[in-house]
């Protein structure tokens, strides 16, 4: 065995992490930061995904995947004020589409607490508590469709 054949046992020496920017013996005069620009400055550390002020790719590309909004229940919301103004007596999806108050086949929800002047019968999908109280006070009936 000769001197140039001697080797350290693996793990016997702890290699120190190289210290950057502490003289010419380390990593040169620029301390491993490259030449000029934002990355070389002391406050040039930018967050992950930063593209120099340009709109980043994660904002340009659309979102994909599960979203609860795709499964929400939508309603045609009708107020008691609209019903009072149109002078309807029997409210149903068919009656509202004929009067062109509703333009699609979504379920109907009645809201509002306006006092009704005459009794009105409702055949709807959903109703607010205030609207139900106002309808029953005027002598009307509410039947909920499932």
């Amino acid at each position: 065995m000769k001197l140039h054949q001697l080797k350290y046992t693996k793990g016997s020496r702890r290699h120190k992490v190289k210290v950057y920017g502490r003289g010419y013996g380390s990593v040169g005069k620029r301390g491993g930061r490259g030449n000029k620009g934002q990355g070389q400055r002391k406050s040039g550390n930018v967050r992950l995904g930063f593209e120099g002020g340009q709109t980043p790719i994660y904002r340009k590309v659309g979102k994909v995947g599960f979203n609860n909004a795709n499964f929400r229940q939508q309603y045609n919301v009708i107020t008691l004020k609209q019903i009072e103004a149109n002078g309807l007596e029997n409210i149903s999806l068919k009656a509202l589409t004929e009067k062109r108050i509703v333009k699609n086949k979504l379920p109907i929800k009645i809201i509002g607490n306006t006092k009704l002047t005459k009794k009105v019968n409702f055949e709807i999908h959903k109703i607010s508590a205030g609207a139900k109280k106002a309808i029953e006070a005027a002598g009307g009936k509410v039947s909920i469709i499932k």
Side-chain angles (χ1 to χ4, degrees):
M1 184 177 276
K2 297 187 177 158
L3 280 176
H4 71 274
Q5 293 174 327
L6 291 173
K7 296 210 186 297
Y8 286 102
T9 314
K10 193 169 175 89
S12 66
R13 295 174 68 209
R14 292 189 177 217
H15 295 284
K16 292 181 180 175
V17 177
K18 191 157 226 171
V19 178
Y20 293 105
R22 297 294 181 274
Y24 287 107
S26 64
V27 187
K29 62 182 179 178
R30 295 198 171 88
R33 287 174 173 253
N35 280 349
K36 298 184 186 173
Q38 187 176 15
Q40 198 178 28
R41 314 293 183 224
K42 70 178 180 186
S43 59
N45 301 332
V46 291
R47 61 176 163 66
L48 192 66
F50 184 71
E51 295 182 24
Q54 172 179 299
T55 306
I57 190 126
Y58 67 84
R59 285 185 59 200
K60 285 181 182 176
V61 177
K63 292 187 175 83
V64 178
F66 180 80
N67 187 349
N68 272 324
N70 298 334
F71 301 98
R72 72 172 177 260
Q73 179 63 55
Q74 292 181 306
Y75 291 97
N76 281 316
V77 179
I78 311 294
T79 62
L80 290 178
K81 208 176 226 180
Q82 285 176 299
I83 292 162
E84 188 73 24
N86 285 303
L88 295 169
E89 291 179 13
N90 293 318
I91 304 296
S92 64
L93 183 59
K94 188 179 177 185
L96 291 171
T97 46
E98 284 173 5
K99 276 280 191 177
R100 294 192 177 185
I101 297 170
V102 170
K103 293 176 182 163
N104 53 33
K105 302 281 184 190
L106 289 174
I108 299 167
K109 180 174 182 177
I110 305 292
I111 62 168
N113 54 6
T114 309
K115 288 186 179 178
L116 296 172
T117 53
K118 58 184 175 186
K119 86 175 196 177
V120 184
N121 297 322
F122 289 84
E123 197 175 306
I124 45 150
H125 301 90
K126 205 163 190 179
I127 190 163
S128 70
K132 190 171 188 178
K133 193 185 273 185
I135 291 163
E136 288 171 352
K141 289 184 181 177
V142 177
S143 60
I144 305 290
I145 304 167
K146 297 276 178 175

